[in-house]
Amino acid sequence: MGAVKKDVTMATEITQDPGAEAGTGLVAGAESEDSELNVIDLDASENYFNREISLLQFNYRVLKQALDTTHPLINRLIFCCIFSSNMDEFFEIRVAGLRQQMKYGRETVGMDGLMPEQALAEISRVAHEYIQEQYEILNNVLIPEMEKEDIHFVRRREWTPAQAEWVRNYFEDEILPVVSPIGLDPSHPFPRLVNKSLNFIVELDGKDAFGRETGLAIVPAPRSLPRLVRLPDEVCTGGENLVFLSSMIHAHADELFPGMEVKGCYQFRLTRNADLELEDDLEDLASALRGELLSRRFGDGVRLEVADNCPEELTQFLLTEFGLTERDLYRVHGPVNLTRLMAVSGLVDRPDLNYSAFSPSIPKQIRSKDSMFDSISKRPILLLHPFENFSPVVDLLRQAAKDPHVLAIRQTLYRTGVDSEIVAALADAAQRGKEVTAVIELRARFSEAENLELASRLQEAGVIVVYGVVGYKTHSKMILVVRREEGRLRRYVHLGTGNYHAGNARLYTDYSYMTCDESIGDDVNKLFQQLTGMGKALKIKKLFHAPFTLHSRLLELIEREAALGEKGRLVFKFNSLTEPQLIKALYRASQAGVQIDLIIRGICCLRPGVPGLSENIRVRSIIGRFLEHTRVYYFGNSGRPQVYCSSADGMERNLLSRVEVAFPIEDPDLVARLREDLDTYLADNCQSWELQPDGQYVQNQPAEGEDRFASQLVLLERLAGKP
């Protein structure tokens, strides 16, 4: 990658056109000495965006990366697939939650004023629009561009005789032995299909061996088989040639029903409610969770995707069978399971069409020392992944496991992976006789089964495993190492904004902070006491921790900036912002004249740029190669900045019903470094999207004569080693 050079100015110098005016929730106010004032009602629904629609807009920004030619072609296809994966989760959790409210008569009005029924109607309208555009991008842009690069998705009508013969052999050898067609009749009712599985509804004519002629059958595609298969070179004339599993099943559906005529075969896919509901008074969380995981595969239907050539009567039959309506139906022109197209990156050997490799750097402070303990004792360490290597975090645990002076290790685990080096180091430490405690959050969404397996492995190694606090997800990222040095105990701490997952550390931007500060070490020790034991909340010196002090301290510090008026300064970087009290505090700070920049990747319910309410607030979303995941709170504090990194977003769940930690960065050089990082994001003119007062996001573009300034690329050039 070529070097990108640009002077990064402090965010106070960056202003944006507020765009079209929006409603401001004005109510009549009292008269001042000079004029009659209008007082804005901060609770007015028009001052807030709908959470679900905002999340859909984030997914759309991800989809638009598929059209950005600065990304390599295969990565553009992957963005298209990520959009599908994100939409799956959106329906499984967010849409399912709204439907559950209506099903059980527990409707609640969002702060935007929409009832669940209204929100679902708008979601359907927007989601249909986005998904239609997704398939247009796939069919009219990505596939033609891949054809130009000699990468072919070979359709049935295009198979040569040699390819057709290879497909027939593959079908008979790999598909036929494991597929289970299900004829529909009184003794074979409609099967209970697994969530998000690929299925076919088949129209039949004729009678079978038993004289049955129901005319319909369901064929579930075996989940063990790949959805995309590479044709061997010997049956192709060149290039990379890929064929869909669905095409193979379509082509040979008649072999599944010998002696009968297949009149039609059509793909469909059902998305189900996949949220888990656990009671707060469980005696055994692990056992209850195992039971709930089985039900996740068969929750209520929330969305039906069908091939757009499926006859209307069959589509209506499926809708009725799943208890869905036209609003829940998505007719698509192409495969119904686009997420599986991610397999292209593994099937096609074209490094020129993928992101170039890079080598995450390791700071000199660490490279020059053999011992992580020596490095940390000199001064605290701040790493920004993936630009800087995750390996020092692993090294800290490895060295702690082997160090005879280390007495105890405690760690929270949210998403880690059973086979990770982190887990291996904890198991090694326990087997060496150290006191090792792991607080595992079993309810990390879609990682529950993996975390149950992880807990079993660690317990077998002798690790003390606890599952946190029922009703409060343990989302904080903490490691505590207790080491005996010169006759006294010293605590070494790692605190992070992201998960202890080496794979994610290559894809997500996250901060890692390592210190032996006595107060922070004492705070972390008390937090572990609260998680593993019982008792009143302990007094914490430096950390903010949810659900006890984080929310209130954030509000206090925002109010302090508001008291400074135009001299105040706030920069927050979140994944999402939804918590009403936090939003109102930001509105009040803006009204006081504080300049506020919010870097929010995903959901934002705050409406920026509204005169009299939020004209001093700017909101931007950064979408690029890496998933922005860092959480940073920057308070100007009259020229003496206070900066915190955190595991917590600006959401109700993070601030009020999870175990979260915000930790101060006090070293002046590290504070300056964090400010520089934030300024880099605020100067982005091509991978950033500005939220407008009307709720739309507009992608920034370089001004005439201005160079592109992509924040992630700048950080990559600044921090990462060259490949």
Side-chain angles (χ1 to χ4, degrees):
M1 298 182 184
V4 175
K5 296 182 179 179
K6 180 182 176 75
D7 291 330
V8 182
T9 57
M10 191 53 187
T12 50
E13 300 175 12
I14 301 175
T15 58
Q16 300 293 333
D17 181 356
E21 291 188 8
T24 57
L26 295 177
V27 297
E31 290 189 4
S32 68
E33 293 182 358
D34 300 317
S35 62
E36 184 176 310
L37 298 177
N38 284 321
V39 178
I40 292 179
D41 179 7
L42 296 185
D43 291 314
S45 60
E46 59 263 37
N47 293 331
Y48 301 90
F49 295 127
N50 178 267
R51 170 181 171 151
E52 277 68 39
I53 298 302
S54 185
L55 180 53
L56 274 177
Q57 290 174 315
F58 162 68
N59 291 337
Y60 184 67
R61 295 195 294 278
V62 171
L63 174 62
K64 296 296 279 188
Q65 303 306 302
L67 293 174
D68 187 343
T69 56
T70 63
H71 298 300
L73 180 56
I74 289 178
N75 296 109
R76 289 166 58 196
L77 176 65
I78 290 174
F79 276 116
C80 187
C81 298
I82 292 172
F83 172 80
S84 283
S85 177
N86 288 354
M87 291 298 288
D88 285 349
E89 183 173 344
F90 178 80
F91 279 94
E92 289 175 298
I93 305 301
R94 302 309 310 171
V95 171
L98 292 171
R99 290 173 64 94
Q100 288 288 95
Q101 287 186 38
M102 295 174 59
K103 179 178 179 179
Y104 295 110
R106 299 191 303 232
E107 291 98 333
T108 58
V109 181
M111 55 185 173
D112 60 296
L114 292 185
M115 293 289 289
E117 175 63 30
Q118 296 170 305
L120 285 170
E122 182 64 8
I123 286 168
S124 178
R125 183 190 69 79
V126 174
H128 276 89
E129 177 185 324
Y130 289 173
I131 290 171
Q132 180 179 347
E133 183 171 346
Q134 177 193 24
Y135 279 87
E136 290 173 354
I137 291 171
L138 175 69
N139 293 318
N140 302 330
V141 179
L142 296 177
I143 289 179
E145 289 191 26
M146 297 190 85
E147 290 280 346
K148 293 177 184 177
E149 293 290 344
D150 219 8
I151 300 171
H152 312 285
F153 295 96
V154 188
R155 308 292 185 179
R156 281 179 290 156
R157 63 180 179 274
E158 301 168 344
W159 292 345
T160 65
Q163 290 170 345
E165 180 63 23
W166 186 90
V167 168
R168 172 176 290 279
N169 292 333
Y170 185 92
F171 179 86
E172 293 177 351
D173 294 342
E174 302 291 336
I175 300 175
L176 194 56
V178 294
V179 73
S180 297
I182 303 168
L184 301 182
D185 64 25
S187 63
H188 296 88
F190 200 96
R192 199 176 183 195
L193 302 175
V194 173
N195 182 31
K196 298 184 296 186
S197 59
L198 171 63
N199 301 278
F200 302 85
I201 185 167
V202 182
E203 282 188 293
L204 300 170
D205 193 19
K207 295 183 180 181
D208 72 355
F210 297 95
R212 297 174 299 181
E213 51 177 348
T214 62
L216 287 179
I218 300 297
V219 179
R223 295 171 70 83
S224 59
L225 295 179
R227 297 308 191 243
L228 201 59
V229 178
R230 187 181 185 278
L231 291 171
D233 292 340
E234 55 265 29
V235 298
C236 303
T237 57
E240 306 283 351
N241 296 274
L242 308 171
V243 62
F244 290 101
L245 175 70
S246 55
S247 295
M248 299 183 187
I249 292 177
H250 276 296
H252 296 285
D254 56 336
E255 295 186 36
L256 300 173
F257 306 95
M260 304 187 74
E261 179 188 357
V262 173
K263 298 171 62 178
C265 179
Y266 311 99
Q267 300 177 59
F268 72 93
R269 181 173 182 257
L270 177 69
T271 307
R272 296 182 180 273
N273 181 345
D275 208 4
L276 300 180
E277 293 189 12
L278 297 173
E279 300 296 331
D280 288 344
D281 57 350
L282 295 172
E283 293 184 5
D284 186 340
L285 176 61
S287 296
L289 188 58
R290 288 187 179 95
E292 282 293 315
L293 285 175
L294 295 175
S295 67
R296 168 181 278 172
R297 302 172 72 190
F298 301 107
D300 292 343
V302 295
R303 173 183 59 166
L304 176 64
E305 298 165 277
V306 299
D308 59 1
N309 64 341
C310 183
E312 182 64 21
E313 61 271 18
L314 294 187
T315 299
Q316 292 302 319
F317 170 76
L318 291 172
L319 286 174
T320 301
E321 191 65 41
F322 299 131
L324 299 174
T325 67
E326 283 284 335
R327 186 171 70 184
D328 311 308
L329 173 66
Y330 292 78
R331 295 180 175 89
V332 300
H333 185 56
V336 297
N337 53 340
L338 288 187
T339 304
R340 294 296 191 98
L341 281 178
M342 286 189 185
V344 169
S345 62
L347 294 170
V348 173
D349 185 20
R350 289 291 301 273
D352 58 311
L353 300 181
N354 285 278
Y355 289 125
S356 58
F358 70 96
S359 300
S361 63
I362 297 177
K364 293 179 181 179
Q365 177 185 353
I366 300 174
R367 288 198 305 252
S368 62
K369 300 287 184 182
D370 293 329
S371 166
M372 286 298 300
F373 300 111
D374 289 345
S375 297
I376 297 170
S377 64
K378 295 292 184 183
R379 62 180 302 184
I381 296 169
L382 183 69
L383 304 173
L384 177 55
H385 315 304
F387 315 109
E388 293 175 297
N389 213 307
F390 186 70
S391 62
V393 181
V394 180
D395 290 341
L396 174 63
L397 283 173
R398 280 177 174 165
Q399 292 176 20
K402 295 177 172 59
D403 191 324
H405 302 294
V406 169
L407 306 179
I409 302 172
R410 299 181 186 127
Q411 181 169 6
T412 58
L413 297 173
Y414 191 75
R415 300 187 200 276
T416 303
V418 177
D419 298 323
S420 78
E421 295 173 297
I422 292 276
V423 174
L426 292 175
D428 181 36
Q431 289 164 349
R432 292 173 182 267
K434 302 184 189 304
E435 294 296 322
V436 182
T437 303
V439 180
I440 300 178
E441 181 47 70
L442 293 181
R443 294 159 298 172
R445 185 174 290 152
F446 300 120
S447 295
E448 296 95 344
E450 190 175 59
N451 283 357
L452 284 166
E453 185 181 349
L454 165 64
S456 296
R457 178 182 171 186
L458 288 175
Q459 286 171 328
E460 290 171 3
V463 175
I464 299 171
V465 173
V466 296
Y467 300 134
V469 182
V470 173
Y472 295 87
K473 280 188 180 181
T474 302
H475 193 250
S476 56
K477 314 305 188 301
M478 305 183 294
I479 296 173
L480 177 66
V481 177
V482 182
R483 189 172 189 256
R484 188 179 298 282
E485 296 180 0
E486 299 178 352
R488 68 182 186 93
L489 296 183
R490 193 173 195 183
R491 297 185 179 104
Y492 291 83
V493 169
H494 172 272
L495 296 164
T497 66
N499 303 306
Y500 291 112
H501 193 296
N504 287 353
R506 294 281 297 190
L507 302 173
Y508 295 10
T509 68
D510 271 307
Y511 283 111
S512 276
Y513 181 62
M514 288 177 274
T515 182
C516 56
D517 179 280
E518 289 188 10
S519 295
I520 289 180
D522 186 52
D523 284 353
V524 172
N525 182 60
K526 289 177 179 176
L527 291 180
F528 274 110
Q529 284 181 284
Q530 289 180 186
L531 287 171
T532 61
M534 299 185 74
K536 298 292 186 181
L538 300 172
K539 186 176 181 180
I540 303 298
K541 300 172 185 175
K542 287 190 175 182
L543 302 182
F544 301 160
H545 64 302
F548 302 110
T549 63
L550 177 53
H551 184 244
S552 60
R553 291 294 288 132
L554 277 178
L555 296 181
E556 288 171 12
L557 291 178
I558 293 172
E559 289 170 5
R560 185 189 65 187
E561 293 299 315
L564 297 174
E566 294 182 359
K567 295 181 180 179
R569 184 72 175 109
L570 294 169
V571 184
F572 287 170
K573 189 170 185 295
F574 293 133
N575 293 336
S576 297
L577 174 61
T578 66
E579 203 282 307
Q581 297 304 315
L582 185 57
I583 294 174
K584 291 176 188 177
L586 291 170
Y587 282 155
R588 288 191 292 268
S590 173
Q591 291 173 324
V594 178
Q595 293 297 312
I596 304 170
D597 279 287
L598 305 177
I599 306 166
I600 302 175
R601 183 193 78 209
I603 306 168
C604 181
C605 295
L606 176 148
R607 186 188 294 271
V610 178
L613 175 72
S614 57
E615 68 263 42
N616 293 315
I617 303 177
R618 295 160 294 278
V619 178
R620 62 172 42 206
S621 172
I622 306 291
I623 309 291
R625 173 176 181 173
F626 307 111
L627 183 76
E628 287 299 329
H629 200 248
T630 51
R631 290 92 161 192
V632 182
Y633 319 148
Y634 178 96
F635 304 91
N637 192 30
S638 300
R640 300 182 302 279
Q642 280 184 263
V643 187
Y644 292 81
C645 295
S646 181
S647 59
D649 285 310
M651 304 178 75
E652 296 94 323
R653 69 186 191 192
N654 298 98
L655 300 175
L656 302 171
S657 60
R658 285 187 173 185
V659 177
E660 304 273 16
V661 168
F663 47 96
I665 306 298
E666 298 175 317
D667 181 282
D669 291 338
L670 297 184
V671 169
R673 182 260 175 89
L674 279 168
R675 172 171 158 168
E676 183 181 21
D677 291 348
L678 290 172
D679 287 343
T680 300
Y681 286 116
L682 293 172
D684 191 304
N685 63 11
C686 54
Q687 289 187 327
S688 59
W689 299 67
E690 294 286 339
L691 177 58
Q692 306 300 304
D694 64 359
Q696 299 302 309
Y697 280 83
V698 176
Q699 186 171 8
N700 285 320
Q701 301 292 340
E704 184 176 352
E706 184 181 27
D707 292 335
R708 282 174 53 87
F709 189 83
S711 54
Q712 292 186 354
L713 179 58
V714 171
L715 290 167
L716 197 60
E717 293 284 345
R718 181 188 299 162
L719 299 174
K722 303 300 183 291

